[in-house]
Structures are given as structure tokens and as C-alpha cells.
Amino acid sequence: MANNKEQRFRKLKKSHLWLSLLFLILFTLIAHAALVLFVASFLNNLLGQKIQGEYDHVSYMARLYENGLLDSDSRVLQLLDDHSSYLILNADEEIIEESGENTCDLTPEFIRISGVTGLITYYPDRDGDFLSPTAGGYLAVNFRKTYHFLTKNDNLILEQLQEGQNHANLPFWIEVPMKDGKSFVGKASFKIYLRDVILLSAFAALLAIMIFVIFVIMIISICTNRSHQRKLLSVFFTDEVTGQHNWMWILIRGEQMLKRRGNASKHYAILSILFMDYRNFCVCHSIAEGEAMLCKVDRTIAGILRRKEMSAHCSSASFAVLLQYNNINELKQRVEDLLAKLENIDETHKFAFHIGVDLMEPVVDASGKIVRRKTVNIEEEYNNACAARESLPDNEGSGIAFFDEALVEEQRWIDTVRERQDAALANEEFLVYYQPKYDPKTNELRGAEALVRWNSPEFGLIPPGRFIPIFEKSGFIPQIDHYMIEHVARDQKAWLDSGYKCVPVSVNVSRAHFIESDLAEQIKGIIDSIGTPHELIELEVTESAFFDDKKAMIDTINRLKSYGFTVSMDDFGSGYSSLNSLKDMPLDVLKLDAEFFRGDEGNNRGQIVVSEAVRLAKSLNMRTVAEGVEIKEQVDFLADLGCDMIQGYYFAKPMPKNEYESRMQNNNINNNTELEEKE
Ligand code: C2E
Ligand code: CA
Ligand code: CA
């Protein structure tokens, strides 16, 4: 596939889905971490502040104790409220004195709080199950501990709060150093207020809601992105006329299908189908009706598809089809059936279609093993199918052509001819060969036909059949016709001036040339500029030219005749409406096509047709020339019929100018003896 098309498709196909999903996962993780971080830091702050307050309180108690005020003054104890329980530890950490209820679990933990240098020691309470959210002594973010703290204490907190208190007490013990290595361990109370819980929950809930909303928005955006992309892809693969698949569908999906391992051993064929009458149909009806017909064609093609086959409308009247086949005969049958269906898609019209087929056989490696098609170039294969299709003749209705090596050779030759045609004309590489026409009764030279040969320095002498049809298609043919007319006129003039007994020489004027409205004047201009008498030039027109514009044709023929030129109908009998053309065209000469004299000699029916054709020409005051006559019996038969001239290998093949000159010179004398020898 061409790179730019593939790139366009890739760009369109790029969904960023994985990126979106990755982003979504990352976002969820980060949001979750943020939530936990927020709760933890909130808690840390809360705990830090509260622990500090409690530390101050216990320090104060320690000072009171040191000053002997704690035991003696019950009012002080009252003031201390629930801080009344305490322990005194000696330097070995043994309890030497205790007051109140001792619920202290003497496993020390450490914490660093602001306002106090160094770590402070505290102990959990056996009832309160208070766990510190610290790490390494610092008040720090510690998810595990924070969670623990919350989960282990939430029941306790809730119970207390539900009991109607405005706060929950979580007891723990704080150690404050005293003199002589002793220390004061006072019971402290960690208070959680209802507002703390509400604030914390509200913040957490808000954060959770925000995360959830963003999460949902992202999911929605991923989904809409996906559906948008699907729509884009379907537009990319949809034909605007048929509403079905377009060329890109076969180009991309077909290529993917062919490359699949499972299809490696399958034979595929790509078809290029051209609806020949489409433009005409649109002109006679309307574009809308034409497009409706294209839809019908598209549906008909789609109707014959099997699994793993596809079709598409490519451009105005052309379709591409990818078929799978087991053997070539089966494929041919399917294509023929399809063509028959297409020709009859409409009850009121019979349409013509040209189908080109290119085969894509399985790929084999050096050992002969079938391998997966790694590289498939559908565009190239389709182009081959198109080339095969274009090799079909334009005016002969429907047709099927397969792409093969001969076609490649043919295409190369066409290319070479087109490349060299101008230079060949400029270098006068085209030669005029003359094929004499003889009177079958007297064996007298009565005329000749000028036939072109291309004397190519590279390829040698090339017969006209190899390049005239190419020139006809490329539009170069009028230049060849002019070239021939000019050279023949010059030769005739020179022969006349040298005293030869000249006979009329006919020049072929191609159908493509004959439609030019001033053709008669162009020819007259060329011949007059050379000064050749008009009666020495005859113009041959093929019957097919009469199909184009009858009125213009008749007009051109009449003008040519009025200038004194003879006009003949070439290849009479090779087309299908010869009699009609004869009826309308005021021609001088009728050239019976060589086909009349091919095949079963002495065939009675063939002879009847020829004799009637000669009789018909005579009744229309036309002279007759029989072409392609090769044997004596035919000559005798034609002589008996009163055919005026014979142009055929029996008398002479087309020959170079100098040979023709000697024919003119030896006319009658030599010729007659030669012919006698032949007999
Ligand atoms: P055409 O105009 O029908 O020319 C007669 C062709 O029949 C010539 O083929 C000639 O060599 C061949 N022919 C004549 N007698 C016999 C015979 O007894 N047996 C056989 N087998 N063939 C015979 P050629 O020269 O190959 O020309 C082929 C065609 O090329 C011509 O058919 C004509 O249509 C075209 N052509 C040739 N020269 C020119 C030209 O200068 N201009 C144009 N427009 N077309 C030309
Ligand atoms: Ca001819
Ligand atoms: Ca002919």
C-alpha cells in the first residue's frame, strides 16, 4: 500500500486508548494516594497538636509533683481532672511510686514534637489501645499506622461520641524526666472531638467524590472517543455514492486479509470492473439515475461474494472485487456469471462491462513451501487488473481479460512506441511500401495501396499492425496519415516528372482522422503544395468510420470527390452494417475484405456472397478491389465476376518504393511472364 495512504489510515486509527487507560490507572492511583495523604497529614497535624498539649499538661504535673504539691493539695488533683493518675520511675525504669489507676503498658514509644528538643517517651494505655502514627520518632506520614490508628480506635471513638460526649478520650501515658534520673509518667488523654471527625469525614468524602467524578468523566471521554473514532473509520471506508465500501476498504482491509497466516495458501483474484455505458447513461437520463445504477451494480457484485471476499466502488464507474478461488476454471465461471448478471441489472437496458482480472497466487519460498504473504501490494495488483481491462477493445461490448506476462510485454511495447513516435516521425523512420493492384483480366497494373512500415534503428522493420492501433488510441494517427499522403504525393509527382506511367495510389485515412471537419481541405492543401494531380491519389476509409457522424462523413467524402480525389471503402464486409453504409455513402471504390477469401476454398456460399457484393457495387457504379487474394482460382473467379482490381499476395506483396518503381516500369511485359510462370 502506498505509504501516504497507510499513514493517513494509521493516523485515523490511532485511538490513544492505551494511553487513556494508562492515564486513568495512574490518575486513580495518584488520587488514591492523595486521599490517603490528605487524611494522614490531617491526622498527623491533629495528633501532633494534641500530643503537644498533653505533654505540656504532664510536664506541668511533673513540676507540681517535684514541688510536692501533687499529693497534698486535692484541689490541684481536681483541677488536673483525668490527668490525676501517674507513676514515678527510677533510673532503672522501675515504678517506685504510683497514684490513681495504673493502666500503663510499659512498652515505651518515642515521638518528636515541636517545642521540645529531643524525643519524648510515651506509653500506650491498656484500655485505650492508642497507637502512634509516628515513624522513627518523627511525626510523619505513615499510612499503615494511620490506618491502624483509625481502624483500631474508631469503635472506641464512636462509642464515646455516641454516649453524648462532645469528644472521645483515648488514654496514653507521657514520661517527663525529673531530677536524680527519675521520671514522671503521667496519664494523658487524647481527645477526639466530634467536629474533628466531621471535618475529617467531610474532607475525605469531598475528595472521594471529586476523584469519582473525574474518574467517571474520564471513562465517558474514553467511550465517546472510541465511538467517535469508529464513526470516523466508517466514513473513511464508506463510498459517498453507494454508501457501501470504498476503495480504501479493499486497499487496507484486503491487504490485512491477504497477509493473514490462515490465508497464505489461498488463491485470490482482484477484479477491476468498469461500467462502460455509465457516462452515456447519465447524459441520457440523469446523474441521480446513473448513481442509482451504480448502487445496483455495487449490490449485484456484493451479492456474489463469499466469506473472505470483498468489493468496493472505486471511482465514477469502476469497481474493485477481491475473490478467492480454488481453480482457474471455477474463477472464470464465476466472473462470467457475474458479467451476465451485471449486463442485465436493468430490465430496460443491456449494459456493457469490462472486467480485468489479476491473479494472486500463494507465495512459495526457495524450498517450495507456501509461506505467508508478508508484503502485499493491492494497488499494484489492482493496477494490473486495470491494465488487463484496458486491453479490451472499446466498442465491442462486454469483455473479460486476464492479466498475464504477454500483457506486460504488450504494455511495455505500447510505452516504447509512444515514447519514440515523435522522434521516429521527425527522423523519417516511417517508410512507404506499395502494394500493387492488378486487373485480373489483363494482369495490368491499375493502382497501388500505400502501406506504412516503421524502419526502427532499434527494432528493425516493424509492420503497421504493431503500431497503427497504438497511434489510433494515442491520437498520433493523423500525423502518420499526413506523412503518408505527403510522401505518396511526392513519390507520384517525382515519378510523373520522370516519365513513369503512374497509376492511382490509395492512402489509408484512419477513422480518428476522418472526423476532422476540414479533412478534405487538409489533404487538398498537402497535395497541392506538392503539385500532384488529384486523380493519382485515392483515399481509403474504413467502414467503422461511418458509424461516427454520418452527415459529416458524407460531407467530407463529397468535398474530397469534388476536389477530384477517389474515395474507397476499405475492408468492406468485415463490419456489420456494410450495406447501410453503402446505401448512404457516395463512394467510388469498394474494397472487399480479405476475409471473403479466407478459409474453405470453393465454398459455394462464400462465392455467392462475393459475386453478389461485386454485382451490388456495379449497380451502385462503384469499382471493386478484392483484397487478400492469394490463389489463382480466386483470381480467375474474380475475373469472371468482372472485379476490377486485385490486391493480394498472388500478384505482389507490399514492397519498397524502388521495387514498385520497377513494377511500374515493367508493367504488362514482365508481369505477364511472371504470372505465366506462377501458373
Ligand atoms: P489494410 O488497409 O486492409 O491493408 C491491407 C493489408 O492486407 C496489408 O497489411 C497487406 O499487407 C495485407 N495483404 C494484402 N494482400 C494480402 C494477401 O494476399 N494475404 C495476406 N495475408 N495479407 C495481404 P499491412 O501492410 O500489414 O497493413 C495492415 C493494416 O494497417 C492495413 O490494413 C491498414 O489498416 C493499416 N495501415 C497500413 N498502413 C497504414 C497507413 O499508412 N495509415 C493508416 N491509417 N493505416 C495503415
Ligand atoms: Ca487499406
Ligand atoms: Ca483493407
Side-chain angles (χ1 to χ4, degrees), residues 449 508 540 570-571 591 593 627:
E449 177 174 4
N508 292 285
E540 292 192 13
D570 200 2
D571 304 338
K591 293 190 78 179
D593 192 68
E627 282 190 293

Side-chain angles (χ1 to χ4, degrees), residues 141-287:
V141 177
N142 186 321
F143 300 145
R144 194 171 57 83
K145 284 197 170 182
T146 309
Y147 268 136
H148 268 217
F149 175 79
L150 277 178
T151 48
K152 287 226 175 182
N153 294 297
D154 56 357
N155 281 339
L156 195 75
I157 297 167
L158 282 174
E159 262 169 40
Q160 292 188 34
L161 291 178
Q162 276 165 3
E163 275 166 17
Q165 299 179 32
N166 71 340
H167 67 270
N169 275 325
L170 301 174
F172 72 117
W173 299 69
I174 293 176
E175 185 181 293
V176 177
M178 291 191 302
K179 281 178 233 147
D180 313 326
K182 287 196 252 171
S183 43
F184 183 92
V185 178
K187 188 175 184 182
S189 176
F190 193 91
K191 290 188 180 63
I192 300 263
Y193 288 89
L194 189 62
R195 61 164 193 273
D196 295 336
V197 176
I198 293 172
L199 208 66
L200 186 70
S201 317
F203 269 128
L206 199 72
L207 209 66
I209 290 170
M210 268 163 62
I211 292 170
F212 178 74
V213 168
I214 295 175
F215 186 82
V216 169
I217 288 174
M218 282 180 69
I219 293 272
I220 291 173
S221 111
I222 288 175
C223 291
T224 46
N225 253 345
R226 285 290 287 174
S227 91
H228 183 65
Q229 193 210 8
R230 268 206 199 108
K231 269 186 212 149
L232 258 178
L233 267 183
S234 96
V235 169
F236 186 72
F237 284 134
T238 303
D239 180 68
E240 78 273 24
V241 175
T242 60
Q244 301 299 312
H245 293 139
N246 62 8
W247 165 238
M248 292 310 274
W249 174 251
I250 288 210
L251 192 66
I252 289 162
R253 293 287 185 238
E255 203 166 297
Q256 287 168 349
M257 186 179 77
L258 287 167
K259 279 183 182 166
R260 247 169 250 150
R261 200 177 296 280
N263 296 334
S265 61
K266 301 209 164 87
H267 295 248
Y268 278 95
I270 189 154
L271 274 60
S272 160
I273 303 180
L274 185 70
F275 181 2
M276 296 301 288
D277 313 295
Y278 177 63
R279 291 280 165 223
N280 252 340
F281 186 83
C282 287
V283 169
C284 301
H285 298 81
S286 66
I287 301 270

Side-chain angles (χ1 to χ4, degrees), residues 5 86 125 161 184 403 433 599 611 621 627:
K5 284 177 199 151
Y86 62 87
D125 189 277
L161 291 178
F184 183 92
F403 181 82
Y433 268 48
S611 52
N621 280 330
E627 282 190 293

Side-chain angles (χ1 to χ4, degrees), residues 485-491 493-494 525-532:
I485 290 169
E486 195 179 319
H487 280 72
V488 168
R490 264 201 226 135
D491 285 351
K493 177 81 168 78
I526 295 169
I527 291 165
D528 287 348
S529 70
I530 295 161
T532 317

Side-chain angles (χ1 to χ4, degrees), residues 435 449-453 463-465 468 472 477 480-481 484 507-510 540 542 570-571 591 593-594 598 627-630 647-650 652 654:
Q435 186 177 28
E449 177 174 4
L451 294 157
V452 69
R453 300 290 180 265
I468 290 286
E472 273 171 347
I477 196 71
I480 288 293
D481 286 353
M484 291 295 282
V507 184
N508 292 285
V509 182
S510 88
E540 292 192 13
T542 55
D570 200 2
D571 304 338
K591 293 190 78 179
D593 192 68
R598 297 282 165 271
E627 282 190 293
V629 176
E630 291 179 354
Q647 178 190 341
Y649 289 179
Y650 175 77

